Amino acid sequence: MHREVTKIIKDIKSLKIQGARNVAKASLKALIIVAKNSKAKTTSDFIREFADAEDKLSVSRPTEPMMRNLLRESLIFAEESAKKKTLVMAKKAIVSHEKMLIKKMESDAEKLATYGAKLIPDNALVLTHCHSSTVTRILITAKKLKKKFKVVSFETRPRYQGRKTAKELADSGIDVTLAVDGAMEMFMRKADIVLVGADSITSRGDLINKIGTSTLAHIAKMNDVSFYCAAELSKYSPKTMFGTREEIEERDPKEVWERPPKKVKIRNPAFEATAAKYINGFVTEVGIIPSQSFFAVATEKLGIKLYE
Ligand code: RUB
């Protein structure tokens, strides 16, 4: 495998590249590297190499359907191109296809940010968790629209992605405070809206996002605060259509405590499910939709056939 592809996989696993969109985008870039640098002499050898990279990227983080969906679409396109074209032409077509997918991700994110910015009430206190590039883009767009609001970003143990959110927002001139995860309830009492990202959305409209998200949603409900999730439709997880649960990534316990005493057990689940009933709506590239509609809109827009 090309060393740059190996590096991308390593960076995804280590969270140097984190967040569902960034992970998906990096995996598409990896496929471009494969197509541009392959030394395969025949289309079948090339497809084998491409499929191998697709396979290794797909499992680099287990809870990432956006990456899986886009990689699968790319492999299908590559296989079709290889059937119809010469090796040189197929590789060219694949590179253009991957670039088109990256461009579409960008334009979808832009549309989504415009819808999301409308949700932020003037003079609001917004709570967020972890680092979601989709959420930060919404907040930066709202700021550009001259909305006045403050943000509290929870630090998100054990990897502190909340710090990344806080820095990004502060760099964009947004009034932001970083707080420990345990302070969620305290800040909720004064909050107007909670906005989080998503790694995966199931057929029931449940949201899989960073551990701590469900606690935030429950506290929001208790305090009558709106809870929204910002996610492109491609975060829908098709395997949940047949009742398969989205796998929850369990990370290295050392992230929690590097040298714990011998008898202390450590658990480090990276994500958790938040039930659809706690979610006021999903902010998507086609507008703001209730959690119960996400399945219908996503399967229609993504052209996912039911019962297949
Ligand atoms: C990141 C996380 C983010 C979603 C959405 O977890 O839970 O909320 O991935 O991000 P990790 P985005 O840091 O473990 O990857 O909106 O950028 O897709």
Side-chain angles (χ1 to χ4, degrees), residues 252-273:
D252 190 343
K254 287 203 165 52
E255 289 184 347
V256 179
W257 197 350
E258 190 140 7
R259 278 184 292 277
K262 264 196 185 120
K263 286 183 183 158
V264 176
K265 290 180 212 144
I266 304 215
R267 293 283 312 273
N268 187 16
F271 302 108
E272 67 179 338

Side-chain angles (χ1 to χ4, degrees), residues 60-295:
S60 57
R61 291 211 56 195
T63 320
E64 298 298 354
M66 187 184 208
M67 167 168 67
R68 288 200 305 265
N69 290 340
L70 289 167
L71 286 174
R72 200 178 139 64
E73 185 183 335
S74 301
L75 181 60
I76 292 169
F77 180 87
E79 284 170 344
E80 285 304 311
S81 303
K83 272 187 217 154
K84 294 184 210 140
K85 296 177 195 287
T86 62
L87 180 55
V88 175
M89 293 311 283
K91 283 200 234 169
K92 264 195 178 162
I94 291 163
V95 170
S96 311
H97 181 257
E98 301 314 303
K99 285 186 179 165
M100 179 277 291
L101 290 179
I102 293 173
K103 253 194 176 158
K104 181 163 184 318
M105 277 180 82
E106 252 327 284
S107 61
D108 282 350
E110 209 52 54
K111 283 184 212 154
L112 189 157
T114 316
Y115 291 122
K118 287 189 188 154
L119 264 183
I120 312 293
D122 242 330
N123 301 311
L125 177 63
V126 184
L127 305 190
T128 192
H129 188 51
C130 196
H131 175 264
S132 155
S133 60
T134 320
V135 168
T136 53
R137 195 186 280 234
I138 288 176
L139 297 172
I140 292 167
T141 305
K143 167 84 183 169
K144 283 185 189 147
L145 293 172
K146 308 256 179 275
K147 290 213 171 180
K148 289 192 177 62
F149 59 93
K150 292 181 181 173
V151 179
V152 173
S153 167
F154 295 107
E155 62 181 0
T156 319
R157 267 198 49 82
R159 296 293 297 256
Y160 303 104
Q161 291 95 326
R163 292 179 183 173
K164 187 174 175 188
T165 302
K167 183 176 182 319
E168 206 172 307
L169 297 181
D171 288 347
S172 304
I174 294 171
D175 182 329
V176 60
T177 303
L178 185 82
V180 296
D181 300 335
M184 282 178 181
E185 167 99 57
M186 205 191 99
F187 285 98
M188 191 64 78
R189 292 191 191 125
K190 295 215 167 82
D192 298 286
I193 184 168
V194 181
L195 195 55
V196 295
D199 286 276
S200 172
I201 293 146
T202 72
S203 292
R204 289 202 304 212
D206 296 343
L207 151 72
I208 317 285
N209 193 50
K210 181 58 55 188
I211 193 87
T213 302
S214 183
T215 308
L216 206 50
H218 281 89
I219 306 172
K221 191 78 162 178
M222 278 164 55
N223 287 274
D224 202 20
V225 174
S226 304
F227 181 97
Y228 283 91
C229 168
E232 281 105 324
L233 298 171
S234 55
K235 288 185 176 173
Y236 169 63
S237 176
K239 69 179 182 184
T240 62
M241 201 189 291
F242 306 101
T244 308
R245 289 189 178 209
E246 186 63 48
E247 188 187 333
I248 301 288
E249 176 182 359
E250 180 98 24
R251 296 186 63 84
D252 190 343
K254 287 203 165 52
E255 289 184 347
V256 179
W257 197 350
E258 190 140 7
R259 278 184 292 277
K262 264 196 185 120
K263 286 183 183 158
V264 176
K265 290 180 212 144
I266 304 215
R267 293 283 312 273
N268 187 16
F271 302 108
E272 67 179 338
T274 300
K277 64 179 175 188
Y278 295 105
I279 305 164
N280 291 74
F282 284 100
V283 187
T284 75
E285 67 271 30
V286 297
I288 298 165
I289 54 178
S291 47
Q292 293 77 7
S293 312
F294 193 91
F295 168 75

